[in-house]
Amino acid sequence: MEDCLFCKIARKEIPAEIVYEDDNIIAIKDIDPQAPIHVLIIPKEHYESILTVSAGNNIISEIHIIANRLAVKFGIVDSGFRLVNNCGENGGQTVDHLHYHLLGGRSLSWPPG
Ligand code: AMP
Ligand code: ZN
């Protein structure tokens, strides 16, 4: 999508601190980290949210597998981490391009705010 922030980051038109990349996914450090480790895992293809991913599409499982690998890379497997998808206005989604937050490195409270 022409004007989408995460599409622009995936196309390298906007700089970001890339921590992982393959043909389908890019993972970057969040610009406003909410935990010592705060990575965004983003499909390169534009989906507005999880609501527009069709059944049979592997992208969600790919994201989860990459989240596991990144948790190892950032040393947060033993201490624990959280993988979060915000969907829609009440869910706190501010960028309308599907992404998951990988958060760790501190104790995370529950329920979230
Ligand atoms: P959400 O609120 O779930 O849609 O998450 C959007 C996330 O994108 C927020 O945590 C922002 O801090 C993050 N963000 C916004 N702009 C950038 C950027 N240019 N580079 C990295 N992260 C960003
Ligand atoms: Zn996009």
Side-chain angles (χ1 to χ4, degrees), residues 16-86:
E17 199 173 333
I18 299 168
V19 295
Y20 175 84
E21 184 172 12
D22 64 26
D23 286 348
N24 300 326
I25 287 171
I26 190 163
I28 62 171
K29 291 209 174 157
D30 196 292
I31 206 168
D32 181 22
Q34 301 301 309
I37 306 300
H38 188 171
V39 170
L40 300 175
I41 305 168
I42 304 168
K44 289 184 172 175
E45 189 172 339
H46 182 91
Y47 304 91
E48 202 171 317
S49 76
I50 47 166
L51 298 173
T52 53
V53 178
S54 342
N57 188 325
N58 275 339
I59 196 66
I60 302 296
S61 75
E62 285 181 41
I63 289 170
H64 278 244
I65 289 162
I66 299 310
N68 290 351
R69 281 201 212 151
L70 288 169
V72 172
K73 174 181 168 117
F74 287 106
I76 53 173
V77 168
D78 291 341
S79 53
F81 59 89
R82 191 170 288 166
L83 188 61
V84 175
N85 171 253
N86 296 327

Side-chain angles (χ1 to χ4, degrees), residues 84-95 99 101 112-113:
V84 175
N85 171 253
N86 296 327
C87 186
E89 193 181 342
N90 278 357
Q93 183 175 5
T94 60
V95 178
H99 55 282
H101 300 252

